[in-house]
Amino acid sequence: QVQLVESGGGLVQPGGSLRLTCAPSGFMFRTWDVSWYRQAPGKERELVATVTTDGGWTNYSDSVKGRFAISRDNAKNTVNLQMNNLQPEDTAVYYCKAVGGFYFNRGREYWGQGIQVTVSS
């Protein structure tokens, strides 16, 4: 069964750090662009960060630029989101999304189930 599994979420105090990990089940990540999204209560889902298949290009939303870092380890078949200096407004459910990056998987995408990140004192 093909799926994405997120881990590493939880409760952290303002100014703290968390690292989220996304791992696929049933396929290899290296041919997929991977993004992290988040959705706070009452708000639309927003794109947080993206990394291309080889890790050569990354992009961030303005709200997390300079605080979050997306990276991938194709040998371990994982993508990480390092989140530093977390603030209450970062509280949301975080989702991992994989989009086909090559001709043979272009147009296909998978979403994870989401993981809660809560920033509170």
Side-chain angles (χ1 to χ4, degrees):
Q1 183 178 356
V2 174
Q3 60 180 349
L4 299 180
V5 179
E6 300 103 336
S7 61
L11 173 65
V12 64
Q13 292 186 342
S17 298
L18 283 175
R19 188 173 80 160
L20 303 182
T21 297
C22 178
S25 176
F27 66 102
M28 298 300 292
F29 244 173
R30 61 180 177 268
T31 61
W32 300 75
D33 297 330
V34 178
S35 297
W36 285 96
Y37 286 73
R38 67 185 182 186
Q39 187 166 19
K43 294 188 177 181
E44 293 187 356
R45 191 172 296 189
E46 66 168 336
L47 175 63
V48 174
T50 298
V51 61
T52 50
T53 55
D54 63 355
W57 183 83
T58 58
N59 192 44
Y60 300 91
S61 68
D62 288 342
S63 60
V64 307
K65 199 171 294 182
R67 299 187 298 123
F68 290 12
I70 189 170
S71 62
R72 66 190 304 155
D73 187 333
N74 285 338
K76 294 183 178 179
N77 210 28
T78 58
V79 170
N80 297 314
L81 183 68
Q82 178 67 41
M83 305 185 295
N84 299 324
N85 191 23
L86 284 160
Q87 301 300 318
E89 53 266 34
D90 295 315
T91 295
V93 177
Y94 283 71
Y95 298 88
C96 177
K97 176 185 174 183
V99 177
F102 283 73
Y103 71 93
F104 52 82
N105 58 7
R106 200 174 306 281
R108 292 165 56 189
E109 65 179 47
Y110 298 106
W111 285 90
Q113 292 297 307
I115 191 164
Q116 179 70 45
V117 171
T118 302
V119 185
S120 176
S121 55

